[in-house]
Amino acid sequence: MKKICIDCRLYSQTGVGRYIRAILSELEKHAFQEKDKEYFLIVYKTDTKLFTKYPANLKIISTSAKWHSVREQIIIPYILYKNKIDIVHFPYFNAPIFYLGRFIVTIHDLTINKFKTGKATSLPKLLYWAKKLFYYLTIWFAVKRAEKILTVSDTVKNEIAKMYGIDEEKIIVVYNGGELECDSHVEAHHDASLQKKQYILYVGNLHPHKNLETLVLAYEELAKEKEFKNIKLVIVSGFDFFYQKLFKFIQSLNLETKIDFTGLIPNAKLREYYQNATCLVFPSLSEGFGIPGVEAMNLGCPVVASDIPVFHEIYGDAAIFFNPKNAVDLKNKIMKLLENEELRQKMILSGMVQASNYSWEKMGAEILNIYNTVCYHDLDHDSKRAT
C-alpha cells in the first residue's frame, strides 16, 4: 500500500489555504476510496477539530510545528520518516531542508525573488535578512530536490525554469480555480445598500507589490471628475502592518472619507461586493495566477488589470489592461467602463466565458493524477531529482 501525505498546516489560511481545501475536497470524492493507498494529512493543532469525519484510509497527524519555523525543519521530517511516507506534497515552497524523502512542491509565484521587500517589513533588519536568506535556501532546496514542481501558470513555470535552471519537464502547470468558496456556516447575505452604491472594488492583501498606491492615485484623479465625485473605492483586505502604511498615504491625500476598508469578510458578503461593483481593479505588479480576477469574472464583475504577462495568460481578452506604473492610464481605463455601458456588458459576458476555463474541481483531479503518476514511478529516485 502506497502512503501519500499532504502538508495541510495552512488549511485555514487564505491563499494557499484555499488551494489545500480544494485539493482535499476533490480527494474526498475519489482518492479516499482507493484501497491501494493510505493518506496522511499533517494538520496544525488548532485545525485538528475541523477533521472529525474521514474514511479509514485517511489519518490525521496534528502538530504544533508552524510554517516558516525552525521546529518544522525537525518535526515534519520526523513525522514523515516515522510513518514511512512514499510521497509528500508540500503545497507551499517550505519543504523542510532536512527531509531527504520524495516530495512534490507547489511554487505559486516568485514575487519575493523579484522585488526588494526590505522597506515593507516590520522586522528588525538583521532578522529580516536572516529570514530572507532562509527563504532563498528553502526554495532552492525545494525546486532542486522535488520529484515534480507544481505551479499555477505558464508564466511562473518559465520564471522557475529560467531562475533555477530547472528542466521544464519537471514543472507541471495546474491552473487554480475561480469559484468563490461557500461559507457553510454563514447564511446567504443580502445587503440592499450595495445595489444603490457606485464603487470600484479591490480584493486582496496590501503588500507593496500589490501596487495599491497607484490605485489610490488613480481614484483621486477619477473623483475629481464632476460626474464621478460620489463614486467610492472599496478595499476588501485585512487590517495589518501594510494597512497602516496605506491608510497614512490615503490620509495625506485627504481621501479617508471616500475610501472604505471592509476588513476580512465572509465569502457570502464578498459575493455581493463582486456582483454589485462597477469593476474590480487588480493593480498588482506580480502574481502567480490572480484568483480575485477570476472570482470577479465568475460573478459578473468586469476586471481592470495590470498589463503584466500572467494576467494576459489567465484573463485573456476578458480584462481591460492598464500600465501598472501609470495612475492616469488606470483612471482612463476605469472611466471607459463607467462611460460605456455597452463595453461594460461586453466585458461581463467575456469574463464569464473566460472564468469557465478554470475550476477547483479540475485542479484537484489533475493533482490527484500527479500523485498517482509520481507514486508509482519506478525510475531511480536520484536520477529523477537531477536537474
Side-chain angles (χ1 to χ4, degrees), residues 9 17-18 27 46 80 84 90 111 143 146 149 159 165 178 194 215 219 230 267 278 285 297 312 330 338 360 376:
R9 287 175 296 149
R18 179 67 180 100
L27 288 177
T46 55
L80 298 172
K84 299 180 180 179
F90 296 105
T111 298
V143 299
I149 300 165
E159 290 174 351
L194 288 180
L215 172 56
Y219 171 73
N230 293 322
N267 284 330
T278 297
L285 298 172
M297 289 177 181
H312 281 280
L330 173 53
L338 291 168
W360 289 113
Y376 289 104

Side-chain angles (χ1 to χ4, degrees), residues 17 101 109 131 153-154 260 283 335 348 378:
D109 61 68
K131 186 175 180 179
S153 64
D154 280 316
D260 294 339
M335 281 186 64
I348 288 173
D378 293 326

Side-chain angles (χ1 to χ4, degrees), residues 302-369:
V303 174
V304 180
S306 297
D307 188 358
I308 57 176
V310 69
F311 285 165
H312 281 280
E313 177 187 347
I314 303 303
Y315 303 153
D317 296 327
I320 294 175
F321 296 100
F322 70 95
N323 181 344
K325 297 183 179 180
N326 189 328
V328 174
D329 186 38
L330 173 53
K331 173 233 178 182
N332 291 337
K333 297 299 170 57
I334 296 172
M335 281 186 64
K336 282 181 67 175
L337 280 178
L338 291 168
E339 294 173 336
N340 189 336
E341 184 59 24
E342 183 179 349
L343 172 63
R344 186 172 179 276
Q345 291 302 319
K346 177 184 175 183
M347 298 310 297
I348 288 173
L349 290 174
S350 61
M352 287 182 169
V353 172
Q354 184 69 12
S356 68
N357 293 320
Y358 308 107
S359 160
W360 289 113
E361 182 177 1
K362 180 181 177 183
M363 183 208 79
E366 289 182 20
I367 290 177
L368 174 58
N369 184 58

Side-chain angles (χ1 to χ4, degrees), residues 89-370:
H89 181 193
F90 296 105
Y92 195 43
F93 70 83
N94 58 325
I97 293 173
F98 299 119
Y99 182 62
L100 303 179
R102 303 175 67 205
F103 66 88
I104 299 166
V105 66
T106 300
I107 306 295
H108 296 269
D109 61 68
L110 293 176
T111 298
I112 297 179
N113 298 61
K114 296 187 289 181
F115 292 91
K116 294 180 179 180
T117 56
K119 293 182 180 179
T121 183
S122 58
L123 296 172
K125 276 191 176 181
L126 186 60
L127 184 57
Y128 162 75
W129 284 110
K131 186 175 180 179
K132 191 162 186 178
L133 179 62
F134 189 71
Y135 159 80
Y136 286 134
L137 183 62
T138 301
I139 197 169
W140 183 91
F141 168 85
V143 299
K144 292 293 184 178
R145 290 192 49 80
E147 298 283 330
K148 291 293 182 181
I149 300 165
L150 308 188
T151 193
V152 296
S153 64
D154 280 316
T155 302
V156 179
K157 174 180 177 176
N158 295 335
E159 290 174 351
I160 293 170
K162 183 178 180 181
M163 190 170 292
Y164 293 99
I166 301 295
D167 185 343
E168 290 191 7
E169 291 187 3
K170 182 177 174 178
I171 310 170
I172 304 174
V173 175
V174 182
Y175 287 125
N176 286 325
E179 309 95 325
L180 190 62
E181 195 171 14
C182 292
D183 298 304
S184 58
H185 59 291
V186 177
E187 293 183 9
H189 194 276
H190 299 286
D191 186 348
S193 67
L194 288 180
Q195 299 175 7
K196 301 175 184 178
K197 294 178 182 178
Q198 190 176 36
Y199 61 91
I200 300 158
L201 183 66
Y202 169 79
V203 177
N205 65 51
L206 307 178
H207 290 212
H209 73 273
K210 296 293 187 177
N211 198 27
L212 270 297
E213 289 189 0
T214 296
L215 172 56
V216 170
L217 290 172
Y219 171 73
E220 179 190 30
E221 291 301 312
L222 181 69
K224 290 177 182 177
E225 302 287 338
K226 185 177 179 181
E227 62 269 43
F228 304 126
K229 65 180 181 180
N230 293 322
I231 196 167
K232 286 272 191 178
L233 171 59
V234 176
I235 296 176
V236 179
S237 188
F239 298 111
D240 58 11
F241 169 76
F242 300 105
Y243 162 76
Q244 299 295 335
K245 296 188 72 173
L246 181 62
F247 191 71
K248 286 180 181 178
F249 178 71
I250 290 169
Q251 285 180 315
S252 73
L253 300 173
N254 297 315
L255 292 173
E256 60 268 28
T257 61
K258 298 178 72 66
I259 299 178
D260 294 339
F261 286 87
T262 68
L264 297 177
I265 58 177
N267 284 330
K269 187 169 185 178
L270 176 57
R271 180 180 299 273
E272 284 202 288
Y273 272 108
Y274 277 132
Q275 291 172 329
N276 292 289
T278 297
C279 63
L280 174 84
V281 177
F282 209 162
S284 186
L285 298 172
S286 175
E287 291 292 327
F289 180 84
I291 292 174
V294 182
E295 287 179 343
M297 289 177 181
N298 257 318
L299 294 169
C301 178
V303 174
V304 180
S306 297
D307 188 358
I308 57 176
V310 69
F311 285 165
H312 281 280
E313 177 187 347
I314 303 303
Y315 303 153
D317 296 327
I320 294 175
F321 296 100
F322 70 95
N323 181 344
K325 297 183 179 180
N326 189 328
V328 174
D329 186 38
L330 173 53
K331 173 233 178 182
N332 291 337
K333 297 299 170 57
I334 296 172
M335 281 186 64
K336 282 181 67 175
L337 280 178
L338 291 168
E339 294 173 336
N340 189 336
E341 184 59 24
E342 183 179 349
L343 172 63
R344 186 172 179 276
Q345 291 302 319
K346 177 184 175 183
M347 298 310 297
I348 288 173
L349 290 174
S350 61
M352 287 182 169
V353 172
Q354 184 69 12
S356 68
N357 293 320
Y358 308 107
S359 160
W360 289 113
E361 182 177 1
K362 180 181 177 183
M363 183 208 79
E366 289 182 20
I367 290 177
L368 174 58
N369 184 58
I370 292 167

